[in-house]
Amino acid sequence: MTGGADERASAREAPKTKTRAQPERQPCEPVAPMKVLTQVAIIGGGPSGLLLSQLLHNAGIDTVILERQSRVHVLSRIRAGVLEQGLVALMEEAGVGDRVRTEGLLHDGTILAYDNDQFRIDFSAHVDQPVVVYGQTEVTRDLYASLDARAGRIFHGVEDVTLHDLDSDAPFVAFSHEGQEKRLDCEFVAGCDGFHGVSRKAIPPSVRREYEKVYPFGWLGLLSETPPVHEELIYANSERGFALCSMRSPTLSRYYVQCNLDETAESWSDDAFWDELRRRLPDAYSECLQTGPSVEKSIAPLRSFVCEPMQWGRLFLCGDAAHIVPPTGAKGLNSAASDVHYLNQGLRAWYSEGDREAIARYSERALARVWKVERFSWWMTSLLHRFPDQSEFDLKMQRAELAFLREDSAAQEALARNYVGLPY
Ligand code: FAS
Ligand code: PHB
């Protein structure tokens, strides 16, 4: 039991909640699951689920979040680091924008490095908005704080989540929580349970179409309490593979090196990581790299993935439950945000004006932006990584693309417009 909201959720009479009295139990009679009622059931308490819950709450729409992990586990994840203005605006709309506005780092450009040299993409020269460097962990922390402040209903540690009657106007979610079978009756289900969740698979295989590209490498990430090597991010294409220099604050750095899929984080000592990172950066940076002990080290596989459609009956998929991008373009969290924006709009139109059109077009609207983000993330990954089967010609194409980017303003504008975030 994680205490707090869970206890309140199961015991407190929340708005629109009807916890029906349980009949006297006969010795052999099975116990009926405890019933909870809401308007929107949200599967998954990551950034998608938490942000959607907050936005709907602000519109007077009741939600219950079902999260498989504990709050501590959710907050221990180190993931995205770059926010588009669209996500920051959504956080402000949700009422959780104070900290990101004061603590987030505004970045007007980024560095691309190759052949022991580098050039800068100046976002402000092409588009009128910066990106904000602010860790996904902090976004999640801000959303949890707002959830607590409104005594929002979230169940942590749920198991055996199954979705039912999605093709009716009275769907429900069955799950177990602290050894008790529960049933969550609702009007809509938001599948915000990530790539390995259960929601996507609730769309019948005859309806679902999946598109996937798995990359033959991963990213080994390291978090260190050291000052960043540069004030902006550095994306490096080196003959030894890709490297990325990022950060969370002026005293907390986040670094990545491309690695083989058969490697483990444990097999990399800190010194081995720092040596490899130095080898992949131009001398101008490797000579001033400040190293220190790793606070966290992990390997993430890379894939491009899209599920179509992103809705079926009363089920709507958001974020990683519906699509995955390689993190090269910093789009995973940001494309989850645009899904949440469209679904929030659709559900508000439904509840406030009885408008069925917006929610009916959710998947079409979300996918139109998702595929553009998939393309950019695939392009950045193809441009900056070394592929095991790359020919000499392929390497020449990468260099020509980098040289063209370096010289051509229109090419730089295209990268800038995609990186800072396409319009919703
Ligand atoms: P999430 O996966 O964050 O959240 C889903 C939630 O659902 C989780 O809390 C999970 O516990 C819960 N859940 C799963 N199954 C459930 C079930 N059956 N019942 C109840 N709950 C269930 N993006 C970037 O932009 N930059 C990065 O550097 C980056 N690095 C990443 C590294 C890793 C290892 C991973 C996995 C992703 C990374 N991403 C990155 C992408 C990441 O930031 C996601 O895009 C973002 O977390 C999406 O948020 P959600 O859609 O909420 O999914
Ligand atoms: C990060 O800081 O974790 C980060 C930044 C940019 C990316 C990917 C990850 O493209």
Side-chain angles (χ1 to χ4, degrees):
M1 183 63 148
T2 54
D6 283 8
E7 283 162 333
R8 280 197 297 275
S10 48
R12 189 174 48 77
E13 281 300 308
K16 306 176 189 63
T17 299
K18 299 184 189 66
T19 306
R20 300 187 180 103
Q22 300 295 330
E24 272 303 306
R25 182 175 177 181
Q26 301 305 319
C28 58
E29 190 180 304
V31 175
M34 177 188 162
K35 286 199 169 186
V36 183
L37 181 65
T38 187
Q39 290 172 296
V40 182
I42 298 177
I43 319 295
S48 295
L50 290 166
L51 181 57
L52 178 65
S53 173
Q54 186 61 49
L55 289 165
L56 293 177
H57 167 78
N58 294 353
I61 299 167
D62 190 67
T63 65
V64 171
I65 302 173
L66 305 181
E67 167 54 49
R68 179 169 64 182
Q69 302 290 354
S70 69
R71 175 184 293 218
V72 168
H73 181 98
V74 173
L75 286 171
S76 68
R77 294 181 188 132
I78 307 291
R79 285 190 179 167
V82 173
L83 309 189
E84 297 173 356
Q85 287 295 340
L87 171 49
V88 175
L90 266 185
M91 289 172 69
E92 288 181 321
E93 181 186 338
V96 299
D98 292 349
R99 214 156 64 91
V100 65
R101 277 294 179 214
T102 53
E103 296 178 24
L105 305 173
L106 294 182
H107 281 206
D108 282 322
T110 191
I111 301 293
L112 296 185
Y114 71 108
D115 284 354
N116 199 25
D117 198 359
Q118 68 279 334
F119 64 98
R120 181 170 185 264
I121 302 288
D122 181 352
F123 301 148
S124 56
H126 303 289
V127 287
D128 62 351
Q129 60 182 27
V131 293
V132 180
V133 172
Y134 187 77
Q136 173 175 322
T137 310
E138 302 315 310
V139 175
T140 310
R141 205 185 307 282
D142 294 338
L143 287 165
Y144 261 128
S146 70
L147 182 80
D148 292 344
R150 61 182 165 93
R153 293 186 293 163
I154 183 168
F155 288 82
H156 285 101
V158 303
E159 296 176 306
D160 309 319
V161 171
T162 52
L163 282 57
H164 302 271
D165 297 349
L166 294 170
D167 53 351
S168 78
D169 59 4
F172 69 92
V173 182
F175 63 103
S176 62
H177 181 246
E178 295 172 355
Q180 197 180 21
E181 299 304 310
K182 291 194 167 105
R183 169 177 163 141
L184 178 56
D185 287 294
C186 56
E187 292 162 345
F188 294 96
V189 180
C192 300
D193 48 349
F195 184 69
H196 300 291
V198 295
S199 299
R200 182 175 68 249
K201 299 169 191 121
I203 298 179
S206 60
V207 172
R208 194 167 14 114
R209 292 179 307 284
E210 296 184 349
Y211 305 84
E212 184 170 52
K213 178 180 182 62
V214 178
Y215 297 87
F217 40 72
W219 278 18
L220 169 62
L222 180 144
L223 191 69
S224 61
E225 290 170 342
T226 54
V229 68
H230 187 59
E231 69 222 9
E232 291 180 330
L233 272 62
I234 303 168
Y235 289 85
N237 171 323
S238 88
E239 62 187 11
R240 298 176 66 90
F242 171 79
L244 170 60
C245 302
S246 184
M247 63 198 75
R248 293 291 180 271
S249 75
T251 58
L252 193 60
S253 296
R254 180 72 172 165
Y255 295 105
Y256 298 92
V257 294
Q258 172 186 344
C259 66
N260 298 324
L261 286 173
D262 59 1
E263 297 184 85
T264 63
E266 295 68 30
S267 68
W268 280 78
S269 69
D270 288 2
D271 288 345
F273 180 92
W274 295 122
D275 289 346
E276 189 57 42
L277 180 62
R278 281 197 191 90
R279 292 190 191 104
R280 299 190 186 187
L281 295 177
D283 297 343
Y285 300 118
S286 58
E287 286 162 3
C288 58
L289 176 69
Q290 291 193 48
T291 65
S294 60
V295 173
E296 186 267 358
K297 217 168 9 185
S298 56
I299 288 180
L302 271 62
R303 81 175 75 236
S304 299
F305 175 87
V306 178
C307 169
E308 288 188 356
M310 288 176 53
Q311 69 187 87
W312 186 73
R314 290 294 179 97
L315 170 65
F316 297 83
L317 303 181
C318 270
D320 280 16
H323 43 76
I324 295 285
V325 285
T328 325
K331 293 298 163 220
L333 176 60
N334 291 301
S335 51
S338 52
D339 293 347
V340 168
H341 167 77
Y342 297 130
L343 185 52
N344 173 49
Q345 277 192 334
L347 289 170
R348 286 180 179 222
W350 172 284
Y351 280 109
S352 60
E353 302 138 32
D355 168 4
R356 270 109 169 99
E357 173 59 22
I359 201 73
R361 291 189 56 232
Y362 164 73
S363 178
E364 172 199 339
R365 291 182 72 195
L367 282 168
R369 188 178 190 274
V370 161
W371 277 114
K372 293 172 192 158
V373 167
E374 290 285 339
R375 182 211 66 82
F376 176 67
S377 302
W378 160 82
W379 175 76
M380 282 280 276
T381 304
S382 307
L383 177 68
L384 296 168
H385 289 73
R386 289 300 165 97
F387 291 69
D389 61 351
Q390 239 168 349
S391 67
E392 286 306 311
F393 178 81
D394 296 333
L395 288 171
K396 285 289 187 184
M397 289 300 99
Q398 267 189 350
R399 261 179 188 58
E401 179 100 53
L402 285 162
F404 181 63
L405 257 180
R406 183 173 198 144
E407 298 153 4
D408 187 89
S409 174
Q412 293 192 12
E413 179 178 351
L415 190 157
R417 284 158 58 85
N418 280 279
Y419 194 90
V420 302
L422 297 175
Y424 283 5

